Amino acid sequence: MRLADLADALGVPFADRTGHEGDTVVTGVSHQADWIRPGQAFVAVRGARFDGHSFINEAVEAGAVVVIGEGLPEHTASPVPYLRVASAREALADAATAVEGRPSDQLTVLGVTGTDGKTTTSCIALHLLRETGAQTGLLSTIGYELPDRVLRQPPSHFTTPEAPQVQHILAEMVRHGATAAVVESSSHALAMDRVRGVSYDVAVWTNLTGEHLDFHGTMEQYFADKAKLVQRARHSVLNADDLPWVEQLVPLATAGGRTCTTYSAEGGDADWRATDVLEGPQEITVTVHAPGGRAEARLPMIGRFNVANALAAMAGVAATGVPLADLVAALATFPGVAGRMEMLEREPGDPRVIVDFAHTPPSLDKALATVRVTTEGRLWVVLGSAGGPRDPSKRAPLGEVATRQADHAVFTEEDHRSTPLRDILAEMERGAREAGRDNFVSIGDRTEAIRYAVREAGAEDTVLLAGKGPEETLERDTETVPWVEIGEARTALRLRHDEHADA
């Protein structure tokens, strides 16, 4: 893209000092000086700790051909053209969108947001779109996929990467033949303009509960940030059971002639409803009522809350024109999501071991209540709570939920970061004790906690490993170590076999 055209796209004046600077080709965009490659634009973002303008020379030395920012600080000069904008973060997204050729305009984009269920809903929607004929890409917390269905990881571990990565991945999807994309859109991404340049056709809202308040500050601000997705989409799919938020969302979703549909996994008053839900040990059957009729559906997952995720995905994909009968047929072949109610293979005499990402009090409550239905013996749960700047107010409630819903709770580590692990465990213990319960033990090392629960569980018991799901690292103090929860669980089962063989 020509520099002069980039300036036009940003809506800012460009003074061509030599008469040919405007013809300079801009090949990419970044706000990280150490990520700059020759020919790219450097966006100098002023953050809480650093001002990107301090890294202009480093960016230019790496090959930046233009700097974009909110104004050069006093006594600071740029050796390359400088484009002044009102908001550097917005310009980061707008510039990346322009340089990549506005890729989302060439895709049917389904965005998913909410506190719980984003990833599962995104993966179900991806499966439904693919099984009904759309060449579809995915951008999610688990990584991203092009139409070739190979899971890849973006350069930075965010639920949604920064705007340049978002636009580059969408452009890659287009280059590889995609006609649709599912974009899991976090509140952070929406608040920080990481998905500003994405043109959403459909927005799917799962729910809103207390989470990430360390970043958003209040529930009202958390809602406002997530609601940006609904305000940007042509059509929205809203959870009628998510009170009181759905009442505030409907006017936002229908403003300016836009449209919305609602869904209810509880059989409430909604466009899409689920009734006659029957939970089995490996699948759920449900009657789906939709604007186009009703059908008996089979979901090869456990967890009653997954009915809501499936219903949301079906309503979202239906908004792109897929008939109900095709959606039901595709749903029956859904392979599941890694780290979301993922059951391990078991041999005779093994407890049922399930890995799940539930890490908030509401999601843990749902997960345990669901697993309890199909547990013949005792229910065990292994869980921790994040430290560092993460919301500390959920630690005691997690302890209360775990000891109320499970027969045995094992409190352990879960990315405690700079917070002393003993402090986190003490808060979880307090939540249990204040509720009058003592059916817990604290084991700081997560590996040992998992092995303890699997070893002590009986053949008719269920062990739920909550909180880590598919994550590939575990943060201990300042150290980040590799972590594979399902691998730890398999090792624990193998050790249990060895102990029983020696007995």
Side-chain angles (χ1 to χ4, degrees):
M1 177 177 224
R2 294 173 63 250
L3 176 53
D5 295 333
L6 176 60
D8 286 342
L10 296 175
V12 297
F14 171 64
D16 194 329
R17 297 172 297 184
T18 65
H20 54 77
E21 280 182 332
D23 293 327
T24 301
V25 176
V26 182
T27 59
V29 184
S30 180
H31 69 307
Q32 296 280 355
D34 55 350
W35 291 359
I36 287 289
R37 298 292 180 267
Q40 293 187 336
F42 173 62
V43 182
V45 176
R46 289 191 172 99
R49 293 189 300 164
F50 302 105
D51 184 345
H53 290 87
S54 301
F55 303 96
I56 287 178
N57 288 335
E58 181 181 340
V60 172
E61 289 175 3
V65 295
V66 61
V67 175
I68 302 170
E70 296 170 10
L72 285 166
E74 190 175 358
H75 307 304
T76 301
S78 174
V80 296
Y82 184 92
L83 301 181
R84 183 167 183 167
V85 295
S87 168
R89 275 225 158 261
E90 291 182 2
L92 179 66
D94 293 346
T97 303
V99 169
E100 293 290 354
R102 304 193 63 84
S104 64
D105 289 353
Q106 303 171 62
L107 299 164
T108 297
V109 180
L110 189 151
V112 181
T113 198
T115 305
D116 302 313
K118 288 189 301 295
T119 300
T120 299
T121 301
S122 296
C123 289
I124 296 175
L126 173 72
H127 178 76
L128 296 178
L129 284 164
R130 284 177 169 171
E131 291 301 300
T132 55
Q135 293 295 310
T136 310
L138 171 72
L139 180 53
S140 168
T141 185
I142 61 174
Y144 72 95
E145 291 185 15
L146 304 176
D148 62 7
R149 308 191 181 202
V150 176
L151 184 65
R152 301 166 173 85
Q153 295 301 319
S156 297
H157 184 68
F158 297 106
T159 302
T160 314
E162 288 286 352
Q165 287 80 50
V166 170
Q167 295 301 323
H168 182 74
I169 290 170
L170 292 174
E172 280 289 290
M173 292 180 188
V174 172
R175 284 191 284 271
H176 284 78
T179 57
V182 178
V183 180
E184 182 179 341
S185 305
S186 71
S187 56
H188 289 69
L190 290 158
M192 299 179 70
D193 291 312
R194 293 175 185 162
V195 290
R196 172 181 166 87
V198 180
S199 177
Y200 291 98
D201 295 281
V202 180
V204 175
W205 178 283
T206 62
N207 72 333
L208 188 73
T209 62
E211 175 80 326
H212 301 307
L213 297 187
D214 55 307
F215 176 80
H216 299 283
T218 65
M219 283 297 293
E220 290 72 22
Q221 186 59 50
Y222 184 28
F223 169 81
D225 288 332
K226 278 197 173 295
K228 289 179 179 179
L229 177 64
V230 169
Q231 292 171 296
R232 293 176 185 173
R234 297 176 179 85
H235 180 85
S236 294
V237 175
L238 308 177
N239 185 355
D241 302 324
D242 189 33
L243 296 170
W245 306 113
V246 66
E247 297 169 341
Q248 300 179 46
L249 285 168
V250 170
L252 299 177
T254 54
R258 292 176 292 114
T259 57
C260 77
T261 52
T262 56
Y263 67 95
S264 171
E266 303 302 323
D269 184 16
D271 300 302
W272 289 72
R273 297 183 298 117
T275 62
D276 306 318
V277 178
L278 181 61
E279 297 179 71
Q282 294 184 326
E283 67 177 27
I284 301 169
T285 57
V286 58
T287 300
V288 176
H289 304 260
R294 56 178 285 177
E296 303 302 313
R298 184 175 71 86
L299 175 63
M301 301 179 74
I302 62 170
R304 187 184 179 94
F305 54 84
N306 279 318
V307 173
N309 297 330
L311 208 56
M314 293 174 77
V317 175
T320 70
V322 179
L324 175 61
D326 293 346
L327 294 171
V328 169
L331 185 67
T333 63
F334 180 60
V337 186
R340 265 72 173 183
M341 281 293 165
E342 185 175 7
M343 289 183 287
L344 272 74
E345 313 83 7
R346 57 192 299 204
E347 297 180 9
D350 285 348
R352 181 173 63 160
V353 181
I354 300 171
V355 174
D356 191 66
F357 192 54
H359 62 286
T360 65
S363 63
L364 180 67
D365 203 349
K366 290 179 183 178
L368 288 169
T370 295
V371 171
R372 169 70 76 182
V373 173
T374 53
T375 297
E376 297 180 4
R378 299 170 299 171
L379 177 56
W380 297 69
V381 61
V382 178
L383 76 156
S385 186
R390 304 293 173 141
D391 182 12
S393 66
K394 68 180 183 181
R395 295 169 190 164
L398 280 169
E400 187 279 323
V401 170
T403 51
R404 169 167 49 84
Q405 289 280 26
D407 298 296
H408 300 283
V410 184
F411 300 149
T412 188
E413 62 180 324
E414 183 200 306
D415 303 322
H416 63 88
R417 302 180 179 91
S418 59
T419 304
L421 177 58
R422 182 64 252 171
D423 293 353
I424 295 175
L425 297 178
E427 277 295 288
M428 298 178 73
E429 293 168 0
R430 179 177 66 81
R433 289 197 177 99
E434 288 183 352
R437 291 186 285 272
D438 61 1
N439 55 327
F440 64 87
V441 63
S442 292
I443 301 175
D445 185 282
R446 193 172 182 95
T447 294
E448 293 305 317
I450 292 171
R451 293 179 181 180
Y452 169 80
V454 171
R455 182 176 66 248
E456 297 298 319
E460 295 184 342
D461 294 355
T462 296
V463 180
L464 179 69
L465 308 181
K468 291 300 292 178
E471 292 182 344
E472 298 179 347
T473 60
L474 182 66
E475 297 182 49
R476 293 170 169 159
D477 297 319
T478 58
E479 183 183 17
T480 299
V481 299
W483 186 263
V484 180
E485 186 95 332
I486 200 161
E488 294 288 336
R490 289 189 179 114
T491 299
L493 280 172
R494 187 177 67 251
L495 291 173
R496 173 191 168 92
H497 295 158
D498 293 345
E499 289 182 10
H500 285 200
D502 293 339

